[in-house]
Coordinates of all heavy atoms in Angstrom, one line a residue:
M1 N -12.9 3.7 4.4 CA -12.0 4.9 3.8 C -11.1 4.4 2.9 O -10.9 4.8 1.8 CB -11.4 5.7 5.0 CG -10.7 6.9 4.6 SD -11.8 8.1 4.0 CE -10.5 9.3 3.3
D2 N -10.3 3.3 3.3 CA -9.3 2.7 2.4 C -9.8 1.3 1.9 O -8.9 0.5 1.5 CB -8.0 2.4 3.2 CG -7.3 3.8 3.7 OD1 -7.6 4.8 3.0 OD2 -6.6 3.8 4.6
D3 N -11.1 1.3 1.4 CA -11.5 0.0 0.9 C -10.9 -0.4 -0.3 O -11.0 -1.6 -0.7 CB -13.1 0.2 0.7 CG -13.7 0.0 2.1 OD1 -13.2 -0.2 3.2 OD2 -15.0 0.4 2.1
D4 N -10.6 0.6 -1.1 CA -10.0 0.3 -2.5 C -8.5 0.0 -2.6 O -8.1 -0.2 -3.5 CB -10.5 1.3 -3.5 CG -10.1 2.7 -3.1 OD1 -9.8 2.9 -1.9 OD2 -10.1 3.6 -4.0
V5 N -7.9 0.2 -1.4 CA -6.3 -0.1 -1.4 C -6.1 -0.9 -0.1 O -6.9 -0.9 0.8 CB -5.6 1.2 -1.2 CG1 -5.6 2.0 -2.6 CG2 -6.0 2.1 -0.1
T6 N -5.0 -1.5 -0.2 CA -4.5 -2.5 1.0 C -3.2 -1.8 1.4 O -2.3 -1.3 0.7 CB -4.2 -3.8 0.4 OG1 -5.3 -4.3 -0.3 CG2 -3.8 -4.8 1.5
R7 N -3.0 -1.7 2.7 CA -1.8 -1.2 3.3 C -0.9 -2.3 3.5 O -1.1 -3.3 4.0 CB -2.1 -0.6 4.9 CG -2.8 0.7 4.6 CD -3.2 1.2 6.1 NE -2.1 1.8 6.6 CZ -2.0 3.0 7.2 NH1 -3.1 3.7 7.2 NH2 -0.9 3.4 7.7
V8 N 0.4 -2.1 2.9 CA 1.5 -3.2 2.9 C 2.7 -2.5 3.3 O 2.9 -1.3 3.2 CB 1.5 -3.8 1.7 CG1 0.3 -4.7 1.3 CG2 1.8 -2.8 0.5
Y9 N 3.7 -3.4 3.7 CA 5.1 -2.8 4.1 C 6.0 -3.9 3.6 O 5.7 -5.0 3.4 CB 5.1 -2.4 5.4 CG 5.0 -3.6 6.4 CD1 6.0 -4.4 6.9 CD2 3.6 -3.9 6.9 CE1 5.7 -5.4 7.8 CE2 3.5 -4.9 7.8 CZ 4.5 -5.6 8.2 OH 4.2 -6.7 9.1
T10 N 7.3 -3.4 3.5 CA 8.4 -4.5 2.9 C 9.1 -4.9 4.2 O 9.0 -4.5 5.3 CB 9.5 -3.7 2.1 OG1 9.9 -2.6 2.9 CG2 8.8 -3.3 0.7
D11 N 9.9 -6.0 4.0 CA 10.7 -6.5 5.1 C 11.6 -5.3 5.7 O 12.2 -4.7 5.0 CB 11.8 -7.5 4.6 CG 11.2 -8.9 4.3 OD1 10.4 -9.2 5.3 OD2 11.5 -9.6 3.6
G12 N 11.3 -5.1 7.0 CA 12.1 -4.1 7.7 C 11.7 -2.7 7.4 O 12.4 -1.7 7.7
G13 N 10.6 -2.5 6.5 CA 10.2 -1.2 6.1 C 9.7 -0.4 7.1 O 9.1 -0.7 8.2
T14 N 9.9 1.0 7.0 CA 9.5 2.0 8.1 C 8.3 2.6 7.7 O 7.7 3.5 8.5 CB 10.6 2.9 8.5 OG1 11.0 3.5 7.2 CG2 11.8 2.1 9.0
V15 N 7.7 2.5 6.5 CA 6.5 3.1 6.0 C 5.7 2.1 5.4 O 6.1 1.1 4.9 CB 6.8 4.2 5.0 CG1 7.7 5.4 5.5 CG2 7.5 3.7 3.7
A16 N 4.4 2.4 5.4 CA 3.4 1.5 4.7 C 3.1 2.2 3.4 O 3.1 3.4 3.2 CB 2.1 1.6 5.5
H17 N 2.9 1.2 2.3 CA 2.5 1.7 1.0 C 1.1 1.2 0.7 O 0.6 0.3 1.5 CB 3.5 1.1 0.0 CG 4.9 1.5 0.1 ND1 5.4 2.5 -0.4 CD2 5.9 0.9 1.0 CE1 6.7 2.7 -0.1 NE2 7.0 1.8 0.7
F18 N 0.5 1.8 -0.3 CA -0.7 1.3 -0.8 C -0.8 0.5 -2.0 O 0.0 0.9 -2.9 CB -1.7 2.5 -1.0 CG -2.1 3.3 0.3 CD1 -2.1 4.7 0.1 CD2 -2.5 2.7 1.3 CE1 -2.5 5.5 1.3 CE2 -3.0 3.5 2.4 CZ -2.9 4.8 2.4
L19 N -1.4 -0.7 -1.9 CA -1.6 -1.5 -3.1 C -3.0 -1.4 -3.6 O -3.9 -1.3 -2.7 CB -1.4 -2.9 -2.9 CG 0.0 -3.5 -2.6 CD1 0.0 -5.0 -2.6 CD2 1.0 -3.1 -3.7
D20 N -3.4 -1.4 -4.8 CA -4.7 -1.5 -5.2 C -5.2 -3.0 -4.7 O -4.5 -3.9 -4.9 CB -4.9 -1.6 -6.9 CG -4.9 -0.1 -7.4 OD1 -5.8 0.6 -6.8 OD2 -4.3 0.2 -8.2
V21 N -6.5 -3.0 -4.3 CA -6.9 -4.3 -3.7 C -6.9 -5.4 -4.8 O -6.9 -6.5 -4.3 CB -8.3 -4.2 -3.1 CG1 -8.3 -3.3 -1.9 CG2 -9.3 -3.7 -4.1
L22 N -6.9 -5.1 -6.0 CA -6.9 -6.1 -7.1 C -5.6 -6.7 -7.3 O -5.4 -7.7 -7.9 CB -7.5 -5.5 -8.4 CG -9.0 -5.0 -8.5 CD1 -9.3 -4.4 -9.7 CD2 -9.9 -6.2 -8.0
Q23 N -4.4 -6.0 -6.9 CA -3.1 -6.6 -7.0 C -2.7 -7.5 -5.8 O -3.1 -7.4 -4.7 CB -2.2 -5.3 -7.0 CG -2.5 -4.5 -8.2 CD -1.2 -3.5 -8.5 OE1 -1.0 -2.7 -7.8 NE2 -0.4 -3.9 -9.5
S24 N -2.0 -8.4 -6.2 CA -1.6 -9.5 -5.3 C -0.4 -9.0 -4.4 O 0.6 -8.5 -5.1 CB -1.1 -10.8 -5.9 OG -0.6 -11.6 -5.0
P25 N -0.4 -9.0 -3.0 CA 0.8 -8.7 -2.3 C 1.7 -9.8 -2.3 O 2.9 -9.7 -1.8 CB 0.0 -8.5 -0.9 CG -1.1 -9.4 -1.0 CD -1.6 -9.3 -2.3
N26 N 1.4 -10.9 -2.9 CA 2.3 -12.1 -2.9 C 3.1 -12.1 -4.1 O 3.3 -13.3 -4.7 CB 1.5 -13.4 -2.7 CG 0.8 -13.3 -1.3 OD1 1.4 -12.9 -0.3 ND2 -0.5 -13.6 -1.3
A27 N 3.5 -11.2 -4.8 CA 4.4 -11.2 -5.9 C 5.5 -10.1 -5.7 O 5.1 -8.9 -5.4 CB 3.5 -10.9 -7.2
S28 N 6.6 -10.3 -5.9 CA 7.7 -9.4 -5.8 C 7.8 -8.3 -6.8 O 8.5 -7.3 -6.5 CB 9.1 -10.2 -5.6 OG 9.4 -10.9 -6.7
D29 N 7.1 -8.4 -7.8 CA 7.1 -7.3 -8.8 C 5.7 -6.5 -8.8 O 5.5 -5.7 -9.7 CB 7.3 -7.9 -10.1 CG 6.3 -8.9 -10.7 OD1 5.4 -9.3 -9.9 OD2 6.3 -9.3 -11.8
T30 N 4.8 -6.7 -7.8 CA 3.6 -5.9 -7.6 C 4.1 -4.5 -7.2 O 4.7 -4.3 -6.2 CB 2.7 -6.5 -6.6 OG1 2.3 -7.9 -7.1 CG2 1.5 -5.7 -6.5
E31 N 3.6 -3.5 -8.0 CA 4.0 -2.2 -7.7 C 2.9 -1.5 -6.7 O 1.8 -1.7 -7.0 CB 4.0 -1.3 -8.9 CG 5.3 -1.7 -9.8 CD 5.4 -0.7 -11.0 OE1 4.5 0.3 -11.1 OE2 6.3 -0.8 -11.7
A32 N 3.4 -0.8 -5.7 CA 2.6 0.0 -4.9 C 2.2 1.2 -5.8 O 2.7 1.5 -6.8 CB 3.3 0.5 -3.6
L33 N 1.2 2.1 -5.2 CA 0.8 3.3 -6.0 C 2.0 4.1 -6.2 O 1.9 4.8 -7.3 CB -0.3 4.0 -5.1 CG -1.6 3.3 -4.7 CD1 -2.4 4.3 -4.1 CD2 -2.2 2.7 -5.9
C34 N 3.0 4.2 -5.5 CA 4.1 5.0 -5.8 C 5.2 4.5 -6.7 O 6.1 5.1 -7.1 CB 4.8 5.4 -4.5 SG 5.6 3.9 -3.6
G35 N 4.9 3.2 -7.2 CA 5.8 2.4 -8.1 C 6.7 1.6 -7.5 O 7.5 1.0 -8.2
R36 N 6.8 1.5 -6.2 CA 7.9 0.7 -5.5 C 7.4 -0.6 -5.5 O 6.2 -1.0 -5.5 CB 8.0 1.2 -4.1 CG 8.9 0.4 -3.3 CD 9.4 1.0 -2.1 NE 10.3 0.1 -1.5 CZ 11.2 0.5 -0.5 NH1 11.4 1.7 -0.1 NH2 12.0 -0.5 0.0
T37 N 8.3 -1.7 -5.6 CA 8.0 -3.0 -5.4 C 8.8 -3.6 -4.3 O 9.7 -3.0 -3.7 CB 8.5 -3.8 -6.8 OG1 9.9 -3.9 -6.6 CG2 8.1 -3.1 -7.9
P38 N 8.3 -4.7 -3.7 CA 9.0 -5.3 -2.6 C 10.2 -6.1 -2.7 O 10.7 -6.8 -2.0 CB 7.8 -6.2 -1.8 CG 7.1 -6.7 -3.1 CD 7.2 -5.4 -4.0
W39 N 10.6 -6.1 -4.1 CA 11.7 -6.9 -4.6 C 12.9 -7.0 -3.7 O 13.3 -5.6 -3.4 CB 12.1 -6.5 -6.0 CG 13.2 -7.3 -6.6 CD1 14.4 -7.0 -6.6 CD2 13.1 -8.6 -7.3 NE1 15.2 -7.9 -7.3 CE2 14.4 -8.9 -7.5 CE3 12.1 -9.4 -7.5 CZ2 14.8 -10.2 -8.2 CZ3 12.4 -10.7 -8.1 CH2 13.7 -11.1 -8.5
P40 N 13.7 -7.9 -3.2 CA 13.4 -9.2 -3.6 C 12.5 -10.0 -2.7 O 12.3 -11.2 -2.8 CB 14.8 -9.9 -3.6 CG 15.5 -9.1 -2.4 CD 14.8 -7.7 -2.5
G41 N 11.8 -9.3 -1.9 CA 10.9 -10.0 -0.9 C 9.5 -9.9 -1.4 O 9.3 -9.9 -2.6
L42 N 8.5 -9.9 -0.4 CA 7.1 -9.8 -0.9 C 6.5 -8.7 0.1 O 7.1 -8.3 1.0 CB 6.3 -11.1 -0.5 CG 6.8 -12.3 -1.4 CD1 6.1 -13.7 -0.9 CD2 6.6 -12.2 -2.8
W43 N 5.3 -8.3 -0.3 CA 4.6 -7.2 0.6 C 4.2 -8.0 1.8 O 3.7 -9.2 1.8 CB 3.5 -6.7 -0.2 CG 3.8 -5.8 -1.3 CD1 3.6 -5.9 -2.7 CD2 4.5 -4.4 -1.2 NE1 4.1 -5.0 -3.3 CE2 4.6 -4.0 -2.3 CE3 5.1 -3.7 -0.1 CZ2 5.2 -2.7 -2.8 CZ3 5.7 -2.6 -0.4 CH2 5.8 -2.1 -1.8
H44 N 4.3 -7.4 2.9 CA 3.6 -7.9 4.2 C 2.4 -6.9 4.4 O 2.4 -5.7 4.1 CB 4.6 -7.8 5.3 CG 5.7 -8.7 5.0 ND1 5.7 -10.1 5.0 CD2 7.1 -8.3 4.7 CE1 6.9 -10.6 4.7 NE2 7.8 -9.5 4.6
G45 N 1.6 -7.4 5.5 CA 0.5 -6.6 5.9 C -0.8 -7.2 5.8 O -1.9 -6.7 6.2
T46 N -1.1 -8.5 5.0 CA -2.3 -9.0 4.9 C -2.3 -10.4 5.3 O -3.3 -11.1 5.4 CB -2.6 -9.1 3.3 OG1 -1.7 -9.9 2.6 CG2 -2.6 -7.7 2.7
G47 N -1.1 -10.9 5.8 CA -0.9 -12.4 6.1 C -1.5 -12.9 7.5 O -2.0 -13.8 7.6
S48 N -1.4 -11.9 8.4 CA -1.9 -12.2 9.7 C -2.3 -11.0 10.4 O -2.2 -9.8 10.0 CB -0.8 -12.9 10.5 OG 0.3 -11.9 10.8
Q49 N -3.0 -11.3 11.5 CA -3.6 -10.1 12.4 C -2.3 -9.2 12.8 O -2.4 -7.9 12.7 CB -4.2 -10.6 13.7 CG -4.8 -9.5 14.6 CD -6.1 -9.2 14.3 OE1 -6.9 -10.1 13.8 NE2 -6.7 -8.0 14.5
D50 N -1.2 -9.9 13.1 CA -0.1 -9.0 13.5 C 0.5 -8.2 12.4 O 0.8 -6.9 12.6 CB 1.1 -10.0 13.9 CG 1.0 -10.3 15.3 OD1 0.1 -9.9 16.1 OD2 1.8 -11.3 15.8
E51 N 0.4 -8.7 11.2 CA 1.0 -8.0 10.1 C 0.0 -6.7 9.7 O 0.4 -5.6 9.4 CB 1.0 -8.9 8.8 CG 2.2 -9.8 8.9 CD 2.5 -10.4 7.5 OE1 2.0 -10.2 6.6 OE2 3.6 -11.2 7.5
E52 N -1.3 -7.0 9.8 CA -2.3 -6.0 9.5 C -2.1 -4.7 10.5 O -2.2 -3.6 10.2 CB -3.7 -6.6 9.6 CG -4.1 -7.4 8.5 CD -5.5 -7.9 8.6 OE1 -6.4 -7.3 9.3 OE2 -5.8 -9.0 8.1
E53 N -1.9 -5.2 11.8 CA -1.8 -4.2 12.9 C -0.5 -3.3 12.6 O -0.5 -2.1 12.8 CB -1.9 -4.9 14.2 CG -3.3 -5.3 14.6 CD -3.4 -6.1 15.9 OE1 -2.2 -6.1 16.5 OE2 -4.4 -6.4 16.2
R54 N 0.5 -4.0 12.2 CA 1.9 -3.2 12.0 C 1.6 -2.4 10.8 O 2.0 -1.1 10.8 CB 2.9 -4.3 11.6 CG 4.2 -3.5 11.4 CD 5.5 -4.2 11.5 NE 6.6 -3.3 11.1 CZ 7.6 -3.6 10.5 NH1 8.0 -4.9 10.5 NH2 8.5 -2.8 10.2
A55 N 1.1 -2.7 9.8 CA 0.8 -2.0 8.5 C -0.1 -0.7 8.9 O 0.1 0.5 8.5 CB -0.1 -2.7 7.4
I56 N -0.9 -1.0 9.9 CA -1.8 0.3 10.3 C -1.0 1.3 11.2 O -1.2 2.5 11.0 CB -2.9 -0.2 11.1 CG1 -4.0 -0.9 10.1 CG2 -3.8 0.9 11.9 CD1 -5.1 -1.7 10.7
D57 N 0.0 0.7 11.9 CA 0.8 1.5 12.8 C 1.9 2.4 12.1 O 2.2 3.4 12.4 CB 1.6 0.7 13.8 CG 0.7 0.2 15.0 OD1 -0.5 0.8 15.0 OD2 1.1 -0.7 15.8
L58 N 2.2 1.9 10.9 CA 3.3 2.5 10.1 C 2.9 3.9 9.4 O 1.7 4.0 9.1 CB 3.9 1.7 9.1 CG 4.8 0.4 9.6 CD1 5.0 -0.5 8.4 CD2 5.9 1.0 10.1
R59 N 3.7 4.8 9.3 CA 3.4 6.0 8.6 C 3.2 5.7 7.3 O 4.0 4.8 6.7 CB 4.6 7.0 8.9 CG 4.4 8.3 8.2 CD 5.6 9.3 8.7 NE 6.9 8.8 8.3 CZ 7.4 8.9 7.1 NH1 6.7 9.6 6.1 NH2 8.5 8.3 6.6
V60 N 2.3 6.3 6.7 CA 2.1 6.1 5.2 C 3.1 6.8 4.2 O 3.4 7.9 4.4 CB 0.6 6.3 4.7 CG1 0.4 6.2 3.1 CG2 -0.4 5.5 5.3
C61 N 3.6 6.0 3.2 CA 4.5 6.6 2.2 C 3.9 7.9 1.6 O 2.8 7.9 1.2 CB 4.7 5.5 1.1 SG 5.4 6.1 -0.4
S62 N 4.6 8.9 1.7 CA 4.1 10.2 1.2 C 3.7 10.0 -0.2 O 2.7 10.7 -0.6 CB 5.0 11.4 1.5 OG 6.2 11.1 0.8
Q63 N 4.4 9.4 -1.1 CA 4.1 9.3 -2.5 C 2.8 8.5 -2.7 O 1.9 8.9 -3.6 CB 5.3 8.7 -3.3 CG 6.5 9.5 -3.3 CD 7.2 9.5 -4.6 OE1 6.5 9.7 -5.6 NE2 8.4 9.1 -4.6
C64 N 2.6 7.4 -2.0 CA 1.5 6.6 -2.2 C 0.2 7.4 -1.7 O -0.8 7.5 -2.4 CB 1.5 5.3 -1.3 SG 2.4 4.0 -2.0
Q65 N 0.5 8.2 -0.6 CA -0.7 9.1 -0.1 C -1.1 10.2 -1.1 O -2.2 10.4 -1.4 CB -0.3 9.7 1.2 CG -1.5 10.5 1.9 CD -2.5 9.5 2.2 OE1 -2.4 8.8 3.1 NE2 -3.8 9.8 1.7
A66 N 0.0 10.6 -1.7 CA -0.3 11.7 -2.8 C -1.0 11.1 -4.0 O -1.9 11.8 -4.4 CB 1.1 12.2 -3.2
V67 N -0.6 9.9 -4.5 CA -1.3 9.3 -5.5 C -2.8 9.1 -5.2 O -3.8 9.3 -6.0 CB -0.7 8.0 -5.9 CG1 -1.5 7.2 -7.0 CG2 0.7 8.4 -6.5
L68 N -3.0 8.5 -4.0 CA -4.3 8.2 -3.6 C -5.1 9.4 -3.5 O -6.4 9.4 -3.8 CB -4.4 7.4 -2.2 CG -5.6 6.8 -1.7 CD1 -6.1 5.8 -2.7 CD2 -5.5 6.3 -0.4
T69 N -4.7 10.4 -2.9 CA -5.3 11.7 -2.8 C -5.7 12.3 -4.1 O -6.9 12.8 -4.5 CB -4.6 12.8 -2.0 OG1 -4.3 12.2 -0.7 CG2 -5.2 14.1 -1.8
H70 N -4.7 12.2 -5.0 CA -5.0 12.6 -6.3 C -6.1 12.0 -7.1 O -7.0 12.6 -7.7 CB -3.7 12.6 -7.1 CG -3.7 13.2 -8.7 ND1 -3.8 14.6 -8.9 CD2 -3.8 12.5 -9.7 CE1 -3.9 14.7 -10.2 NE2 -3.9 13.5 -10.7
R71 N -6.1 10.7 -6.9 CA -7.1 9.8 -7.5 C -8.4 10.1 -7.1 O -9.4 10.3 -7.9 CB -6.6 8.4 -7.2 CG -7.5 7.3 -7.9 CD -7.3 6.0 -7.4 NE -6.1 5.3 -7.9 CZ -5.6 4.2 -7.7 NH1 -6.4 3.3 -6.9 NH2 -4.7 3.6 -8.2
R72 N -8.6 10.3 -5.7 CA -9.9 10.5 -5.1 C -10.4 11.9 -5.5 O -11.5 12.1 -5.8 CB -9.7 10.4 -3.5 CG -9.6 9.0 -3.2 CD -10.0 8.6 -1.7 NE -10.0 7.2 -1.7 CZ -9.5 6.6 -0.6 NH1 -8.8 7.2 0.3 NH2 -9.6 5.3 -0.6
N73 N -9.5 12.9 -5.5 CA -9.9 14.2 -6.0 C -10.4 14.1 -7.4 O -11.4 14.8 -7.8 CB -8.7 15.2 -5.9 CG -8.4 15.6 -4.5 OD1 -9.2 15.4 -3.6 ND2 -7.2 16.1 -4.3
G74 N -9.8 13.4 -8.3 CA -10.1 13.2 -9.6 C -11.6 12.6 -9.6 O -12.5 13.1 -10.4
Y75 N -11.9 11.5 -8.8 CA -13.3 11.0 -8.9 C -14.2 12.1 -8.4 O -15.3 12.2 -8.9 CB -13.3 9.9 -7.9 CG -12.7 8.7 -8.2 CD1 -11.9 7.7 -7.4 CD2 -12.8 8.1 -9.7 CE1 -11.5 6.5 -7.9 CE2 -12.3 7.0 -10.1 CZ -11.6 6.1 -9.2 OH -11.1 5.1 -9.7
L76 N -13.9 12.8 -7.4 CA -14.8 13.7 -6.8 C -15.3 14.8 -7.8 O -16.4 15.4 -7.8 CB -14.3 14.4 -5.5 CG -14.3 13.6 -4.2 CD1 -13.5 14.2 -3.1 CD2 -15.7 13.0 -3.9
S77 N -14.3 15.3 -8.6 CA -14.5 16.4 -9.6 C -15.3 15.9 -10.7 O -15.8 16.7 -11.6 CB -13.3 17.0 -10.0 OG -12.5 16.1 -10.9
R78 N -15.7 14.6 -10.8 CA -16.6 14.2 -12.0 C -18.0 14.1 -11.9 O -18.3 13.9 -10.7 CB -15.9 12.9 -12.5 CG -14.8 13.1 -13.5 CD -14.0 11.9 -13.9 NE -12.7 12.3 -14.1 CZ -11.8 11.5 -14.5 NH1 -12.0 10.1 -14.6 NH2 -10.6 11.9 -14.7
Ligands
LIG1 ZN1 4.7 4.0 -1.5

């Protein structure tokens, strides 16, 4: 379902954001779908099993979800 995005979160973050899978979570200027960056830290959620599980547990950022939904609806209508 989420094969084309990666769930990530910031240091101390309470929501998960989506990154395009082609983008690196290991750069502090990588933008999530909502435009947010992890600056001055890095995205977490891909480094270890614990991080992956935490990213799954967090509520998804509503803006990231909206962008993803919009994008998928766009694909479906073509
Ligand atoms: Zn977001």
Side-chain angles (χ1 to χ4, degrees):
M1 185 69 188
D2 290 337
D3 286 349
D4 53 346
V5 290
T6 305
R7 287 177 77 126
V8 292
Y9 59 92
T10 56
D11 275 325
T14 55
V15 296
H17 298 271
F18 289 134
L19 288 188
D20 274 311
V21 289
L22 297 176
Q23 291 193 289
S24 171
N26 299 312
S28 55
D29 62 350
T30 299
E31 291 185 3
L33 297 189
C34 64
R36 182 168 176 154
T37 71
W39 179 267
L42 299 171
W43 292 116
H44 299 289
T46 60
S48 67
Q49 182 92 27
D50 278 355
E51 288 193 358
E52 283 180 29
E53 285 175 2
R54 174 154 180 213
I56 288 166
D57 281 346
L58 290 172
R59 186 171 59 82
V60 172
C61 164
S62 57
Q63 294 219 52
C64 280
Q65 185 64 65
V67 171
L68 189 64
T69 299
H70 181 77
R71 186 191 279 189
R72 291 202 165 133
N73 287 344
Y75 282 142
L76 287 174
S77 69
R78 270 170 213 180

